[in-house]
Structure formats: structure tokens, C-alpha cells
């Protein structure tokens, strides 16, 4: 059995919900990532912020990224997976919610993220094609 913990990119980092988007963009650049999990004041997952969220949801709408916070951008119920979950559960979670990045949690702590690149490294071509078909399908 392959687990989420085995395919994840370890060392994911939270961004506090109170942090501004300009600072979030700087952190993304420093970490060379396109998404950051958003944490509330108790370090519980409250959303995921993507580089696209910053550009489309803030800058393109004429808002100032130095004034808008990560928490302002958090929408919906954040999805996550336990580090011990089987890869089939990872695929199901990502496919059923059409998401491309998934935080990995162990003992209520963020331990990593699973992205498309992680899946490409660990799945068969058939598994990856099936995942892409469901995640990118228009609903």
C-alpha cells in the first residue's frame, strides 16, 4: 500500500489567515510553490491560497494585495488527507472535489502537500490519465 505520506512533498508551510497577499506571494516565490495552506489562529486549516487566487481574485479586480489577506480569499470547506491514507483515497479526494493540491495532515499537524507533480512521479500513466480526466472535466 502506498500512502499519502509516501508521495507527498514534505515540509509544506502554513500562511496565517491574517497575512497579506503580497507577503503570501513573496513566501510562494521563496519556497518555489504555487499554493499555501491557510491556517487560522489555532493552526487549523481554513483554506488554500494559490498564485492564481492572488492574480485573478485580487490584482485583476483592482484590489491592493498589501491590504487583502489570505483569509479574505479562503472560500468553501478546505480539503485535506491523513498521511496514512492510501493513494486511492488521495485520488478519490482530489477527483471528487476537482482539486489539484491537497494538504497532508498527521496528528493534526501539516506535514506536506500533494500536487500534480507528486502524482506524476508516483502514479502509473493510466492512473494519472484517469485522475486528470476527472479533475479537469467540466462539471
Amino acid at each position: 500500500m502506498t500512502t499519502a505520506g509516501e508521495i507527498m512533498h514534505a515540509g509544506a508551510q502554513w500562511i496565517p489567515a491574517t497575512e497579506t497577499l503580497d507577503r503570501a506571494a513573496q513566501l510562494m516565490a521563496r519556497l518555489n510553490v504555487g499554493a499555501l495552506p491557510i491556517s487560522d489562529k489555532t493552526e487549523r486549516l481554513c483554506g488554500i491560497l494559490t498564485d492564481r487566487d492572488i492574480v485573478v481574485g485580487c490584482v485583476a479586480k483592482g484590489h491592493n494585495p498589501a491590504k487583502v489577506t489570505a483569509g479574505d480569499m479562503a472560500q468553501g470547506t478546505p480539503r485535506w488527507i491523513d498521511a496514512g491514507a492510501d493513494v486511492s483515497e488521495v485520488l478519490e479526494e482530489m477527483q471528487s472535489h476537482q482539486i489539484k493540491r491537497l494538504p497532508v495532515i498527521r496528528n493534526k499537524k501539516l506535514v506536506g502537500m500533494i500536487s500534480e507533480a507528486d502524482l506524476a512521479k508516483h502514479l502509473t500513466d493510466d492512473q494519472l490519465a484517469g485522475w486528470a480526466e476527472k479533475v479537469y472535466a467540466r462539471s
Side-chain angles (χ1 to χ4, degrees), residues 98-118:
Q98 292 187 303
I99 55 177
K100 300 170 194 144
R101 298 171 178 103
L102 189 61
V104 180
I105 307 291
R106 178 181 293 126
N107 299 324
K108 299 183 181 180
K109 299 285 185 194
L110 177 70
V111 293
M113 288 279 281
I114 297 174
S115 68
E116 294 168 284
D118 299 312

Side-chain angles (χ1 to χ4, degrees), residues 14-133:
W14 294 111
I15 185 144
T18 55
E19 191 63 81
T20 58
L21 298 186
D22 60 336
R23 298 291 301 251
Q26 292 165 5
L27 181 58
M28 286 179 185
R30 192 173 82 239
L31 297 174
N32 193 31
V33 298
L36 294 168
I38 304 169
S39 70
D40 65 15
K41 61 186 173 194
T42 63
E43 288 199 352
R44 291 185 53 94
L45 182 67
C46 65
I48 295 180
L49 179 68
T50 67
D51 47 8
R52 180 174 168 77
D53 293 333
I54 295 170
V55 172
V56 175
C58 178
V59 176
K61 292 182 177 177
H63 302 295
N64 182 347
K67 304 261 188 230
V68 178
T69 67
D72 293 334
M73 302 301 290
Q75 298 177 5
T77 303
R79 310 307 307 178
W80 58 274
I81 196 86
D82 185 86
D86 184 75
V87 72
S88 63
E89 295 174 70
V90 171
L91 295 176
E92 176 58 32
E93 185 69 17
M94 294 175 88
Q95 289 168 343
S96 65
H97 298 285
Q98 292 187 303
I99 55 177
K100 300 170 194 144
R101 298 171 178 103
L102 189 61
V104 180
I105 307 291
R106 178 181 293 126
N107 299 324
K108 299 183 181 180
K109 299 285 185 194
L110 177 70
V111 293
M113 288 279 281
I114 297 174
S115 68
E116 294 168 284
D118 299 312
L119 296 179
K121 290 177 195 171
H122 294 92
L123 299 181
T124 67
D125 289 346
D126 288 342
Q127 285 176 309
L128 191 57
W131 174 85
E133 182 180 331

